[in-house]
């Protein structure tokens, strides 16, 4: 069988592309190397999302479930734990080979997010020794934090949101290397009102302990300070880890993401892309922006399959 469109990635952008592809009654298959939800379920399932329209506030896992339910109700096929390895031209179609099967598609939408999650590390003494022994790069389940002393490193939206979540069950400090946060203004105000303690500017010099994290050494101005902690969460950005992009022969930007035009077309005719995997001037990394791009990508793919450019 040849699908009208195969969507690579089942995060919010991929699922939204599926919804819009089905409004055009395109036969649609979504393939994800991991699980449905992408970062919503793999990196921050318990996080409350406050800036997705309609919900006021919704937990990331619930947003993923709602998108999944809607996509399934529209008869979109979804395969999890299947890795796309090749996208080859095959006459007027694409030949797509995964680790399990081979498919044909008339168009492709890449919504692969940041790829396989590989966190940015600080690179200080002790950091590699305490991974999973008190040091984590994602928010641990809240019940594991109850009554603990938690320190979060980072100054972006992710670090601030993690610190506020942790603070609801644990004594939490956020440490940032500059004296100004990078996060959205409303998040910074919420952080100030949340009671999370802040230490900035300060840098992590070492992680200390025997079997488990016991403290961190911080460098503040020219002084060093030791802070007793049980849990360290480092959230200083998530560089993309998209090994397959090169193999797929798509033009990329200097930061390794897929270059797209305004209709979300890539450098290969019939292949579109959306979400965290793409870059263009003015790109905003917000879930709702990725979903908007997904709508455009799906409608553009439909126009392409029908044989006329949008
Ligand atoms: P980010 O915005 O890139 O912030 C990374 C933070 O880590 C920055 O504050 C940076 O410091 C710091 N950092 C980087 N390297 C460091 C190092 N070696 N040592 C110490 N600190 C270091 O990353 P993010 O927070 O993961 O967010 C990624 C994107 O998703 C952003 O566009 C963000 O706005 C978006 N996002 C949005 C939401 C939301 O809409 N609510 C939630 C999460 C993420 P400097 O500030 O000094 O550079």
């Amino acid at each position: 069988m040849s699908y009208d469109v195969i969507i690579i990635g089942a995060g919010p952008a991929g699922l939204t592309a599926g919804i819009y592809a089905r409004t055009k009654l395109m036969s649609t298959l979504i393939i994800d190397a991991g699980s449905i939800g992408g970062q919503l379920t793999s990196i921050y399932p318990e996080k409350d999302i406050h800036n997705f329209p309609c919900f006021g506030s919704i937990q990331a896992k619930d947003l993923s479930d709602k998108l999944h339910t809607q996509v399934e109700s529209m008869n979109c096929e979804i395969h999890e734990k299947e890795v796309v390895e090749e996208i080859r031209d095959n006459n007027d179609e694409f030949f797509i080979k995964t680790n399990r099967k081979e498919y044909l598609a008339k168009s492709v939408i890449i919504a692969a997010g940041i790829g396989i999650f590989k966190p940015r590390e600080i690179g200080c003494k002790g950091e590699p020794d305490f991974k999973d022994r008190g040091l984590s790069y994602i928010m641990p389940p809240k019940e594991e934090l109850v009554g603990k002393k938690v320190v979060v490193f980072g100054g972006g939206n992710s670090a601030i949101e993690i610190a506020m979540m942790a603070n609801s069950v644990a004594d939490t400090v956020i440490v940032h290397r500059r004296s100004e946060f990078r996060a959205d203004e409303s998040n910074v105000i919420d952080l100030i009102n949340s009671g999370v303690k802040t230490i900035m500017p300060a840098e992590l010099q070492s992680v200390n302990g025997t079997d488990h994290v016991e403290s961190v050494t911080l460098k503040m101005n020219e002084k060093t300070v030791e802070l007793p902690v049980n849990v360290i969460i480092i959230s200083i950005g998530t560089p993309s880890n998209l090994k397959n992009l090169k193999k797929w022969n798509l033009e990329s930007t200097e930061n390794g993401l897929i270059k797209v035009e305004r209709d979300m077309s890539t450098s290969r005719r019939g292949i579109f892309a959306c979400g965290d995997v793409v870059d263009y001037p003015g790109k905003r990394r917000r879930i709702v922006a990725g979903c908007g791009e997904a709508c455009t990508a799906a409608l553009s793919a439909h126009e392409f399959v029908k044989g006329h450019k949008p």
Side-chain angles (χ1 to χ4, degrees):
M1 171 185 175
S2 171
Y3 290 92
D4 289 326
V5 62
I6 288 186
I7 299 167
I8 303 171
L15 295 173
T16 303
I19 291 169
Y20 279 88
R22 288 300 299 149
T23 63
K24 293 294 187 185
L25 299 182
M26 297 172 89
S27 53
T28 305
L29 168 64
I30 304 179
I31 301 175
D32 197 296
S35 310
I36 290 167
Q39 293 172 56
L40 294 179
T41 48
S42 62
I43 305 188
Y44 47 82
E46 290 185 327
K47 184 163 100 175
D48 290 322
I49 295 169
H50 298 284
N51 57 5
F52 196 88
C54 285
F55 295 111
S57 171
I58 182 166
Q59 226 180 35
K61 166 86 177 65
D62 293 340
L63 180 60
S64 168
D65 288 346
K66 283 185 187 296
L67 282 164
H68 181 193
T69 304
Q70 187 171 357
V71 173
E72 272 206 330
S73 74
M74 295 175 83
N75 298 321
C76 217
E77 213 179 315
I78 309 182
H79 296 181
E80 296 178 85
K81 313 253 176 301
E82 185 167 348
V83 183
V84 173
E85 290 167 350
E86 282 178 43
I87 309 175
R88 280 208 317 267
D89 293 332
N90 184 59
N91 300 321
D92 275 350
E93 293 186 310
F94 295 98
F95 168 84
I96 295 183
K97 184 174 175 298
T98 72
N99 59 337
R100 282 202 228 147
K101 259 179 110 170
E102 293 166 357
Y103 306 93
L104 287 174
K106 296 186 182 73
S107 66
V108 176
I109 297 175
I110 302 175
I114 52 169
I116 308 287
F117 177 65
K118 190 174 179 292
R120 179 171 289 128
E121 298 179 5
I122 287 189
C124 71
K125 196 168 145 239
E127 185 180 4
D129 308 327
F130 290 97
K131 283 180 191 165
D132 300 324
R133 294 196 292 135
L135 187 153
S136 158
Y137 294 90
I138 59 172
M139 172 79 186
K142 264 191 191 174
E143 70 258 23
E144 288 179 17
L145 302 183
V146 177
K148 302 266 172 70
K149 280 187 187 313
V150 177
V151 60
V152 179
F153 288 90
N157 280 316
S158 299
I160 284 193
E161 289 172 359
I162 286 173
M164 290 191 288
M165 272 196 290
N167 197 54
S168 64
V169 291
D171 182 10
T172 306
V173 182
I174 186 165
V175 177
H176 180 37
R177 66 180 175 183
R178 288 188 300 129
S179 40
E180 217 175 282
F181 286 114
R182 177 179 291 278
D184 290 341
E185 289 74 357
S186 60
N187 253 344
V188 176
I189 297 285
D190 287 346
L191 180 85
I192 292 165
N193 293 333
S194 70
V196 172
K197 297 173 206 75
T198 53
I199 300 181
M200 55 205 279
E203 283 180 24
L204 178 59
Q205 214 168 40
S206 69
V207 179
N208 319 309
T210 45
D211 289 340
H212 199 269
V213 167
E214 288 167 18
S215 71
V216 288
T217 305
L218 303 177
K219 189 169 168 219
M220 297 167 65
N221 302 317
E222 288 314 305
K223 284 189 258 166
T224 54
V225 174
E226 192 166 339
L227 187 73
V229 293
N230 315 109
V231 177
I232 300 171
I233 307 170
I234 296 176
S235 177
I236 58 169
T238 38
S240 49
N241 180 22
L242 297 153
K243 282 186 266 173
N244 275 338
L245 288 192
K246 279 213 168 64
K247 276 206 301 196
W248 296 344
N249 211 12
L250 295 160
E251 196 179 333
S252 58
T253 57
E254 60 193 20
N255 50 11
L257 298 169
I258 300 176
K259 190 172 169 199
V260 285
E261 301 299 327
R262 284 187 347 196
D263 62 354
M264 297 294 134
S265 57
T266 68
S267 56
R268 278 180 72 182
R269 256 177 76 47
I271 302 185
F272 302 82
C274 55
D276 279 356
V277 76
V278 304
D279 205 4
Y280 52 85
K283 166 76 184 172
R284 303 288 177 219
R285 294 195 185 284
R286 296 292 183 276
I287 298 169
V288 74
C291 292
E293 293 162 6
C295 162
T296 303
L299 299 183
S300 299
H302 176 248
E303 294 289 337
F304 175 80
V305 170
K306 277 180 68 184
H308 51 92
K309 286 281 294 165

